[in-house]
Amino acid sequence: MEVQAVDYLAEERGRARFDVEAMKVAWAGSKHSLEVSDRMSRLVASDPVFQKDTRTMLGRKELFNNTLRKAAHAWKRINELRLTEEEAQMLRHFVDEPSYVDLHWGMFVPAIKGQGTDEQQKKWLTLAYKMQIIGCYAQTELGHGSNVQGLETTATFDPKSDEFVIHSPTLTSSKWWPGGLGKVSTHAVVYARLITDGQDHGVHGFIVQLRSLDDHSPLPGITIGDIGTKFGNGAYNTMDNGVLQFDHVRIPRDQMLMRLSKVTREGKYLQSDVPRQLVYGTMVYVRQAIVADASKALSRAVCIAVRYSAVRRQFGSQDGGPESQVIDYKTQQNRLFPLLASAYAFRFVGEWLKWLYADVMQRLQASDFSTLPEAHACTAGLKSLTTSITADGIEECRKLCGGHGYLCSSGLPELFAVYVPSCTYEGDNIVLLLQVARFLVKTVSQLGSGKKPVGTTAYMGRVEHLMQCRSDVRKAEDWLNPSAILEAFEARAVRLAVSCAQNISKASNPEEGFAELSADLVEAAVAHCQLIIVSKFIEKVQGDIDGQGVKEQLQILCNIYALSLLHKHLGDFLSTSCITPKQGALANDQLRALYSQLRPNAIALVDAFNYTDHYLGSVLGRYDGNVYPHLYEAALKDPLNDSVVPEGYEAHIKPVLKQRFRVSRL
Amino acid sequence: MEVQAVDYLAEERGRARFDVEAMKVAWAGSKHSLEVSDRMSRLVASDPVFQKDTRTMLGRKELFNNTLRKAAHAWKRINELRLTEEEAQMLRHFVDEPSYVDLHWGMFVPAIKGQGTDEQQKKWLTLAYKMQIIGCYAQTELGHGSNVQGLETTATFDPKSDEFVIHSPTLTSSKWWPGGLGKVSTHAVVYARLITDGQDHGVHGFIVQLRSLDDHSPLPGITIGDIGTKFGNGAYNTMDNGVLQFDHVRIPRDQMLMRLSKVTREGKYLQSDVPRQLVYGTMVYVRQAIVADASKALSRAVCIAVRYSAVRRQFGSQDGGPESQVIDYKTQQNRLFPLLASAYAFRFVGEWLKWLYADVMQRLQASDFSTLPEAHACTAGLKSLTTSITADGIEECRKLCGGHGYLCSSGLPELFAVYVPSCTYEGDNIVLLLQVARFLVKTVSQLGSGKKPVGTTAYMGRVEHLMQCRSDVRKAEDWLNPSAILEAFEARAVRLAVSCAQNISKASNPEEGFAELSADLVEAAVAHCQLIIVSKFIEKVQGDIDGQGVKEQLQILCNIYALSLLHKHLGDFLSTSCITPKQGALANDQLRALYSQLRPNAIALVDAFNYTDHYLGSVLGRYDGNVYPHLYEAALKDPLNDSVVPEGYEAHIKPVLKQRFRVSRL
Ligand SMILES: Cc1cc2nc3c(=O)[nH]c(=O)nc-3n(C[C@H](O)[C@H](O)[C@H](O)COP(=O)(O)OP(=O)(O)OC[C@H]3O[C@@H](n4cnc5c(N)ncnc54)[C@H](O)[C@@H]3O)c2cc1C
Ligand SMILES: Cc1cc2nc3c(=O)[nH]c(=O)nc-3n(C[C@H](O)[C@H](O)[C@H](O)COP(=O)(O)OP(=O)(O)OC[C@H]3O[C@@H](n4cnc5c(N)ncnc54)[C@H](O)[C@@H]3O)c2cc1C
Ligand SMILES: [Ca+2]
């Protein structure tokens, strides 16, 4: 049958007013990054072991086994090709399936690096780097997640044998959730309450061997299992999130991670002189990676929805001509383009976080801890904000694809299901925003004291101006002025924070006041974090950017990002009198004009992500726009299509049609 | 091991300040409805054929087959027990698995009822009522969903043989999505362009037999299949949404549904004298059912999240005592309680829609079509609003359960995956809101002309007052006054609609103006629909309600519903000057106070839904709150736990650990 959409996107691509190759570099961060990611993504896409289009049809065991196979194959290729660490990381990323490997490299190794002594690092990292042991990160318990200090697992020092006894005293103390734990890991960093001589020293990390290196069976006293099916078909079900119970398991004393504190042979608990603030470094690192992942996940979803919105036509046919592309509807643009802008915004704030991490590490070396609380709050907030918007954004992209978005072959259901736990792990997003809020309230309370707010809170130093300034926007185009945007966002953030601080101070007790007002505090924290992203986007656009038309496009995206937020949170801006209703309406007018400017460039802007069809994993998001025949092709692969008359016909359909109700119970 | 949470919810239940049994009646609508739904839900829960706790672990074929078995068993029980239609419908609802049965009763039968002549009804409904034929509703095509007028399938009258020739001329004309089509249906109502004598009369419905009643094989010229895996594990994968192509399939002339128009033996196309508006009746019916389902789905999610939030403890332990229940955190309340209030709000607006349907039907009988456009807009808007909020609300409830919400055993992932297509089918939610907006703009434009707006738009008749009124709220409690709430919501809705209408009138051409402003128009439509729900909730609370404390609780819920919306859409209220920033802040203060009043009643308010543990299908939402041991138990059932050492160990784990890279490619 004839297919008309085949060349459709080529025409769209011809309309772009900027140099797509240069935008690819801007998105990737550098020519080098683009080259590596391009090469690795093609390597994965061209290898049949890494194909993933039957993923959503497999049962749990088959799915899991297939992931093991891919992980082993990836490791083999990494070794065969002698890939660099950068290349290896990219390759693993493009394999695009959660597996024990993520936790091994992403949590187990960094935990030992961050908390192990030099000696411990030498011993364990040597094994881990070669994957001669496979490790996971066992912190969360059935009964305790967010409140790490409430963990119940105990590690009791036995001076007689110079060992720790690791034990799970209750059902709720079972370790529950650690990825890679259920079926694969041979070792774990286990968090447990350290007890010496009857005294509880709080939660510490221990390296515990879980399984025999001979036959993979759990060691005595250790019970391990998988915690069961999770959201989605493939999604995180490729991962063996596990449950673990200890029955008085003994480990040598030197398997406590002793960089920050230690237990001596005599059972004395001692703090080392290494500064505690070191942990911030790891946290900043992990969170910048999560923000980078947010931009990847959101851009994937947006790429699919933008391309399909250009392919899909609905209504508006005149004189028997083709119908309108749905991307031309303003409602579609109003839902889609701010997400496209957010993907770019998150990409650039993620890049900046990389810089922040380097800065933090440098300062730590120099024992300068002054920026740490700010860096900690900032990364907590950005993790929360970017993951929440990305999760919602993926689902919005799915809806933007109408009915077909509901098919797994669209790629969007799986992308959503695999992404959403980012809102929960590495800090529940609301708990994180409350931490940001606490920091903001503290910063406000110190404003009078001469202590100058630093980094992303520096704007609060201009509190007097920001509390009384009025936007001088008079016409829609005035909103294109970055300083108009910045001032409005700064004023809003400061005013919300100050108002919260004032209301808390009215409470009889600040803790109670904080608890009572916590919903408002979360809004103030969001305002602060949005400001960070807006300001980093503006900085980016004001810097050097190569390529014809690239800067102009980023400028448009930056303005869409900011003005769509302004519209979404109009209540904040108006209730704090940062802008007038008239100015709010002008911002909205400008936003519509920006959508029209973006429109012809939309396809090229998602092409700039440089995603392979393999990585996208979506019939709707195909580079060539040839959607319909491939939807058909994907459908035919479903196991239900093995036979035209379904297996259950004789047993369960015929008796209904023939009014014979001897329905079997089996 | 010891479990401490077992009696926890009993204590919570003791804190309720109202008569739960009376609230059950208020929720169900009547004592009779409560009795029937209670009886049917227990009947299903106690029947082993209807168990569903392994659903998310089954492969597609197994899953589908199991659903066929349940559907047949349900039909058997319905017949054995000689259930009434009301009882049968309830029973099917509590089986809680999408299947061909839904489309047979919910779309095929009503389509014939609505569009068939008396003769056609007699013939086909007799067969359908006994399920001697099984039917589906085949409208959507691969290339056309929202724009029904763009369908491509043709039905060409052949006067020689007195037959229609049904044909799929292109790939994109394949029927795609109809539930029950892929594997089960023997018949379909097929929508196709009627062509007589070379003339295209637009889209009409035809009854087409698809499969042989002898052996279930597709009839000649008919190609059928399943369209593949959809979002979620179980979810809609229990349904055989299908694809269908016709290759010149012939059907007798009397299988065109001829109530509204017909083709004569000579091939003449004639309109009948039955009023076209009849179709509105069916639409109102279908949409009121969708709104009723929204309240069910949202209340299920809320029930799970409320109960688990009372079980879950995190932080705030003092002196080694238990930690705080997370339901006591204001942020948790601020996310959860408005959803609880929304579930009740949707329930009552759904009840009102039932009345509206009866009213519409009565008027149709009397050839009074005056309220139809308003009823149509109103149901379109309420379908859109309630399904969007419910979909987002289920996911929010999942996040409110922290990590454990991500497990399928929480019930929430499946509830989400099975629910979300409601935002797309029976009218894409944005397309529907644009219809509402069109109606509002028209209503505004007629305000001067003396045409009095009716029904849910009656408030627009007071446009002069509403355009200039100012809220007289001075203290937080003033917001408890229903007339303060109503006036603010009415003023906001009218002002947004009027402002849109004015802006459109500035455009050179109204259609272009409408298109350009469509994002704003959607916001105006949302404001109008929220007003409807708020006002129906207020009416409900002002009516007769039995039971100690019941009315008081509903009053609290109603106020939470309205004030949380006011806060969420503060930008609307402020930009239209309906309220001042100060009044907005007072509303927020009042909202917090209402949360505190709701808190002790929260568990009892979800108990009032009267859901069995079977129906909830959630370990986290268990009635007894005994969550942790059952999480464990559910996990152990996962196929991955069949063996402690996973199947892939020798092939894919050992080679990594032992540094042997001969990884098999199979
Ligand atoms: C896919 C996935 C992978 C994971 N991988 C790992 C892993 O490898 N290793 C590991 O150790 N763990 C892992 N986890 C566990 C994860 O870290 C926890 O789920 C997470 O920390 C959240 O904690 P929780 O589940 O206890 O949520 P809870 O804290 O119980 O959250 C429940 C609700 O309470 C609210 N809440 C909690 N505290 C407060 C407060 N103080 N104020 C206001 N509200 C509050 C939350 O906002 C939430 O709405 C994983 C989880 C998932 C889902
Ligand atoms: C689970 C499920 C079950 C279904 N069951 C059936 C069934 O039994 N029988 C049947 O016939 N069909 C069925 N359908 C199909 C369903 O009715 C269509 O998917 C639905 O009508 C939406 O149409 P679409 O998919 O073409 O979306 P599209 O219209 O292509 O939507 C894509 C995007 O375009 C936007 N858009 C479209 N038109 C406009 C406009 N004029 N202005 C602004 N924006 C616009 C939409 O908002 C959306 O964002 C089912 C679908 C699903 C998902
Ligand atoms: Ca599955």
Side-chain angles (χ1 to χ4, degrees), chain A residues 61 76 130 142 144 147 183 213 226 229 232-233 323 404 406 417 523 567 641-643 658-659 661, chain B residues 61 76 130 144 147 183 213 226 232-233 323 406 408 417 523 567 640-643 658-659 661:
Chain A
K61 270 188 189 173
K76 179 176 169 235
K130 294 199 194 140
L142 190 52
H144 289 92
N147 183 17
K183 296 288 150 183
L213 290 172
D226 181 275
T229 313
N233 269 297
E323 296 167 285
H404 300 343
Y406 190 63
E523 291 178 7
H567 183 68
N641 286 324
D642 290 352
S643 63
K658 303 301 174 200
Q659 314 293 302
F661 300 131
Chain B
K61 271 188 188 172
K76 179 176 169 237
K130 293 199 195 141
H144 288 92
N147 182 17
K183 297 288 150 184
L213 289 172
D226 181 275
N233 269 298
E323 296 166 286
Y406 191 62
C408 284
E523 291 178 7
H567 183 67
L640 267 197
N641 286 324
D642 290 353
S643 63
K658 303 301 176 200
Q659 314 292 303
F661 299 132

Side-chain angles (χ1 to χ4, degrees), chain B residues 243-465:
Chain B
V243 46
L244 165 63
Q245 288 180 312
F246 298 102
D247 181 6
H248 301 93
V249 171
R250 291 179 167 265
I251 59 169
R253 183 169 53 90
D254 67 4
Q255 285 178 214
M256 168 176 163
L257 290 169
M258 301 226 207
R259 189 169 182 198
L260 298 177
S261 49
K262 63 178 177 182
V263 172
T264 65
R265 177 64 194 89
E266 297 73 39
K268 270 234 174 84
Y269 177 70
L270 298 177
Q271 304 280 343
S272 82
D273 49 7
V274 175
R276 241 117 283 278
Q277 287 90 338
L278 270 181
V279 294
Y280 283 120
T282 316
M283 227 172 230
V284 174
Y285 177 77
V286 171
R287 290 186 182 154
Q288 68 83 20
I290 292 183
V291 172
D293 282 346
S295 73
K296 281 178 197 142
L298 184 56
S299 57
R300 281 170 82 170
V302 164
C303 180
I304 295 167
V306 165
R307 286 184 183 159
Y308 179 63
S309 293
V311 170
R312 187 69 171 172
R313 292 171 176 271
Q314 208 78 247
F315 297 103
S317 156
Q318 264 138 9
D319 315 319
E323 296 166 286
S324 305
Q325 295 164 274
V326 298
I327 198 174
D328 284 326
Y329 293 114
K330 279 282 172 226
T331 47
Q332 192 86 352
Q333 295 178 2
N334 189 49
R335 296 155 73 200
L336 190 49
F337 291 172
L339 292 173
L340 174 55
S342 300
Y344 274 92
F346 297 173
R347 176 75 194 117
F348 297 134
V349 83
E351 208 173 62
W352 171 76
L353 278 176
K354 256 196 195 160
W355 168 87
L356 183 74
Y357 173 63
D359 183 64
V360 161
M361 294 313 283
Q362 222 167 16
R363 286 172 192 266
L364 279 175
Q365 298 275 326
S367 293
D368 166 7
F369 307 130
S370 61
T371 65
L372 280 180
E374 184 268 321
H376 179 245
C378 157
T379 53
L382 291 176
K383 182 275 180 185
S384 173
L385 200 122
T386 57
T387 55
S388 288
I389 297 294
T390 296
D392 293 350
I394 295 168
E395 170 60 8
E396 185 70 2
C397 285
R398 196 191 62 69
K399 293 204 183 88
L400 283 160
C401 295
H404 300 341
Y406 191 62
L407 286 168
C408 284
S409 58
S410 78
L412 293 164
E414 284 295 297
L415 194 54
F416 182 77
V418 81
Y419 190 75
V420 284
S422 309
C423 298
T424 305
Y425 59 54
E426 286 304 315
D428 171 271
N429 280 355
I430 296 297
V431 174
L432 290 177
L433 287 176
L434 288 170
Q435 290 174 11
V436 177
R438 208 169 271 284
F439 176 72
L440 290 178
V441 170
K442 193 169 163 196
T443 307
V444 168
S445 75
Q446 294 174 338
L447 282 178
S449 75
K451 196 166 177 225
K452 249 185 105 176
V454 295
T456 57
T457 49
Y459 71 100
M460 290 185 145
R462 286 177 282 114
V463 61
E464 273 161 49
H465 169 70

Side-chain angles (χ1 to χ4, degrees), chain A residues 53-54 57 632-642:
Chain A
D53 43 314
T54 59
M57 293 175 224
Y632 222 104
E633 195 181 290
L636 293 183
K637 289 186 192 152
D638 196 274
L640 266 198
N641 286 324
D642 290 352

Side-chain angles (χ1 to χ4, degrees), chain A residues 103 107 136-148 175-180 191 230 236 239 241 418 421-422 424-431 434 518, chain B residues 308-309 312-316 326-327 329-332 335 396 398-407 628:
Chain A
L103 284 299
M107 298 294 288
C136 67
Y137 185 87
Q139 176 177 301
T140 307
E141 296 173 355
L142 190 52
H144 289 92
S146 297
N147 183 17
V148 177
K175 293 294 170 188
W176 186 277
W177 273 117
Y191 290 85
K230 289 147 289 188
Y236 245 92
M239 179 75 90
N241 293 93
V418 80
S422 309
T424 305
Y425 59 53
E426 287 303 316
D428 171 270
N429 279 355
I430 295 298
V431 174
L434 288 170
S518 56
Chain B
Y308 179 63
S309 293
R312 187 69 171 172
R313 292 171 176 271
Q314 208 78 247
F315 297 103
V326 298
I327 198 174
Y329 293 114
K330 279 282 172 226
T331 47
Q332 192 86 352
R335 296 155 73 200
E396 185 70 2
R398 196 191 62 69
K399 293 204 183 88
L400 283 160
C401 295
H404 300 341
Y406 191 62
L407 286 168
Y628 296 115

